[in-house]
């Protein structure tokens, strides 16, 4: 079998398809290298000093795990000196991180959730890194405002899932490709191209413990799934909830399904739990590039104009016909 490394894939995309300017290629290679380092830390587990709480809180008011902080540092250190970035933003940092003066500044902006699925770190369940790349608008200097672009403006997006295998999943707007980490060689190898999500599915993912807090359209959709063959859908559904968005979306990219984290009455003033800029947008683009759909119940997620770096959003994404259905229930309500 011909082995295509991530580097070769990116070079060929650049050469043949013209999708990837060289600075963006460098950026993606650096992110991939950082993910390899994070993967090593994840793998060490209790043998490294990486488990448990860091006894600190992030801007979201969530207790940080040691690995949240390690992953954040790895991504910053790897990316700050290469000259490809102007600034970074992260789930774990309140403000943006501008590339220090001692390094050249590039034209890209990188956003990430360094370690998604933090509640799964200590229990040895799949977790991941999610990232999104934007171009800095013209002009001197860089500010938080430069980041506030809708997801349609992304130039690259992806995630790395640290599970039984470490898999990097990437789009630059020309479909979705998956790369598996070969630990002996230390390189990501292309293992699937043109990833496609089936339009129909019998599998849904939602945290059912929040059911009593949901809005009527979400309740209607899930009730109909639960009614199975005897209900209006005329078929039995299965349910999965890993509580790592990366792992849930990876399953959906692999075999279909619908992922939902809706607004609920627990925090009525917040539009949802998940973050628009570095969780929902990159995942939405991957899902759409694979033929799926992603909405907040009313609108395509990627057309939302963000007003804050850490903005939250309701999320319905995955198999196209199911996302269209649950979105139509919101419009009818
Ligand atoms: P995190 O980025 O702090 O790990 O939080 C995001 C995670 C998602 O990966 C996952 O889908 C969701 O939170 C699970 O939430 P819950 O524990 O409410 O089911
Ligand atoms: Mg997250």
């Amino acid at each position: 079998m011909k082995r295509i490394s991530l580097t070769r894939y990116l070079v060929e995309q650049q050469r043949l398809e013209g999708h990837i300017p060289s600075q963006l290629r460098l950026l993606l290679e650096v992110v991939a290298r950082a993910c390899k380092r994070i993967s090593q830390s994840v793998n060490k587990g209790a043998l490294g000093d990486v488990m448990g709480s860091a006894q600190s809180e992030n801007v979201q008011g969530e207790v940080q795990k040691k690995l949240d902080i390690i992953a954040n540092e790895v991504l910053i250190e790897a990316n700050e000196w290469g000259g490809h970035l102007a600034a970074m933003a992260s789930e774990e940092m309140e403000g943006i991180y501008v590339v220090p003066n001692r390094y050249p500044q590039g034209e890209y902006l990188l956003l990430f959730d360094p370690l998604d699925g933090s509640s799964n770190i200590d229990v040895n369940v799949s977790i991941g890194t999610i990232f999104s790349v934007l171009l800095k608008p013209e002009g001197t200097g860089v500010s938080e405002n430069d980041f506030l672009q809708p997801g349609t403006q992304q130039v690259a997006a992806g995630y790395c899932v640290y599970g039984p295998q470490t898999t990097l999943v990437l789009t630059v707007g020309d479909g979705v490709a998956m790369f598996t980490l070969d630990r002996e060689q230390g390189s990501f190898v292309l293992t699937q191209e043109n990833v496609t999500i089936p339009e129909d599915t019998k599998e849904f993912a939602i945290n059912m413990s929040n059911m009593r807090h949901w809005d009527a359209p979400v309740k209607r959709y899930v009730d109909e799934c639960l009614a199975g063959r005897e209900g209006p859908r005329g078929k039995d559904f299965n349910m999965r909830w890993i509580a790592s968005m990366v792992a849930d979306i990876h399953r959906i990219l692999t075999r279909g399904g619908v992922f939902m984290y809706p607004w609920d009455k627990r925090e009525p003033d917040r539009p949802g739990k998940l973050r628009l800029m570095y969780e929902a947008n990159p995942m939405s683009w991957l899902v759409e590039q694979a033929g799926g759909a992603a909405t907040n119940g009313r609108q395509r997620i990627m057309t939302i104009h963000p007003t804050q770096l850490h903005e939250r959003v309701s999320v319905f994404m995955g198999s196209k016909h199911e996302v269209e259905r649950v979105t139509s229930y919101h419009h009818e309500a």
Side-chain angles (χ1 to χ4, degrees):
M1 189 181 87
K2 187 170 83 172
R3 281 167 64 103
I4 297 178
S5 65
L6 175 68
T7 302
R8 177 167 173 183
Y9 174 85
L10 294 174
V11 167
E12 289 182 347
Q13 282 278 324
Q14 184 184 355
R15 190 187 299 149
L16 304 177
E17 315 286 346
H19 288 305
I20 310 181
S22 57
Q23 288 296 299
L24 181 57
R25 175 161 71 82
L26 174 65
L27 189 165
L28 294 171
E29 295 221 48
V30 172
V31 169
R33 211 178 303 140
C35 289
K36 274 189 244 173
R37 278 188 56 195
I38 297 169
S39 170
Q40 274 172 351
S41 292
V42 170
N43 269 252
K44 283 200 183 107
L47 299 177
D49 187 20
V50 300
M51 308 287 271
S53 160
Q55 312 292 347
S56 55
E57 270 190 7
N58 66 12
V59 54
Q60 339 266 342
E62 301 160 343
V63 175
Q64 290 176 303
K65 297 286 174 72
K66 284 185 189 161
L67 214 48
D68 287 322
I69 295 174
I70 294 170
N72 194 57
E73 281 169 3
V74 166
L75 279 156
I76 288 176
E77 271 174 37
N79 277 288
E80 65 179 353
W81 52 269
H84 50 283
L85 283 183
M88 294 176 247
S90 161
E91 179 176 318
E92 303 303 334
M93 300 186 295
E94 182 163 4
I96 63 168
Y97 181 92
V98 179
V99 167
N101 283 334
R102 60 184 183 279
Y103 303 119
Q105 272 207 1
E107 55 179 341
Y108 290 102
L109 305 172
L110 175 65
L111 299 99
F112 45 81
D113 176 357
L115 218 288
D116 179 62
S118 307
S119 74
N120 280 324
I121 295 172
D122 294 342
V123 292
N124 200 358
V125 169
S126 296
I127 49 183
T129 298
I130 313 174
F131 62 93
S132 164
V133 185
L134 296 165
L135 266 172
K136 185 177 92 70
E138 300 276 318
T140 49
V142 55
S143 71
E144 198 165 303
N145 255 337
D146 294 332
F147 282 83
L148 304 181
Q149 306 179 38
T152 49
Q153 295 298 107
Q154 292 173 104
V155 295
Y159 64 80
C160 187
V161 56
Y162 314 112
Q165 303 117 44
T166 290
T167 308
L168 183 76
V169 180
L170 184 69
T171 186
V172 288
D174 183 32
V176 177
M178 293 187 179
F179 303 83
T180 305
L181 179 61
D182 180 331
R183 288 194 188 278
E184 280 98 68
Q185 304 281 330
S187 64
F188 281 105
V189 179
L190 181 66
T191 40
Q192 206 188 334
E193 256 186 307
N194 303 319
V195 173
T196 313
I197 302 176
E199 290 185 335
D200 293 296
T201 182
K202 291 177 172 184
E203 206 159 60
F204 66 95
I206 192 165
N207 185 336
M208 293 284 290
S209 69
N210 298 324
M211 190 172 214
R212 69 190 183 287
H213 306 295
W214 294 340
D215 231 357
V218 182
K219 196 147 188 315
R220 173 181 169 194
Y221 176 79
V222 174
D223 279 344
E224 289 181 2
C225 292
L226 295 176
R229 202 173 310 193
E230 293 75 37
R233 301 299 307 276
K235 59 181 182 183
D236 292 333
F237 279 77
N238 193 8
M239 198 205 83
R240 288 285 185 277
W241 185 250
I242 303 175
S244 289
M245 186 192 201
V246 172
D248 278 311
I249 296 299
H250 192 66
R251 181 188 62 255
I252 287 170
L253 282 169
T254 307
R255 70 174 188 211
V258 56
F259 173 92
M260 296 172 278
Y261 210 122
W263 169 92
D264 69 47
K265 294 188 190 95
R266 284 174 301 168
E267 293 184 297
D269 299 334
R270 277 189 175 161
K273 174 182 177 178
L274 298 177
R275 273 63 44 133
L276 173 64
M277 307 273 309
Y278 40 80
E279 291 178 324
N281 270 340
M283 292 309 203
S284 295
W285 200 25
L286 289 163
V287 164
E288 287 193 7
Q289 281 289 312
T295 76
N296 67 354
R298 302 182 179 277
Q299 167 183 5
R300 196 178 156 213
I301 286 174
M302 289 209 295
T303 60
I304 297 172
H305 282 265
T307 57
Q308 291 170 43
L309 198 55
H310 299 286
E311 184 162 328
R312 297 179 185 245
V313 66
S314 282
V315 170
F316 302 87
M317 61 171 73
S319 290
K320 198 166 173 212
H321 293 158
E322 294 302 309
V323 175
E324 284 171 356
R325 177 180 286 267
V326 66
T327 304
S328 75
Y329 290 0
H330 283 82
H331 286 299
E332 282 169 31

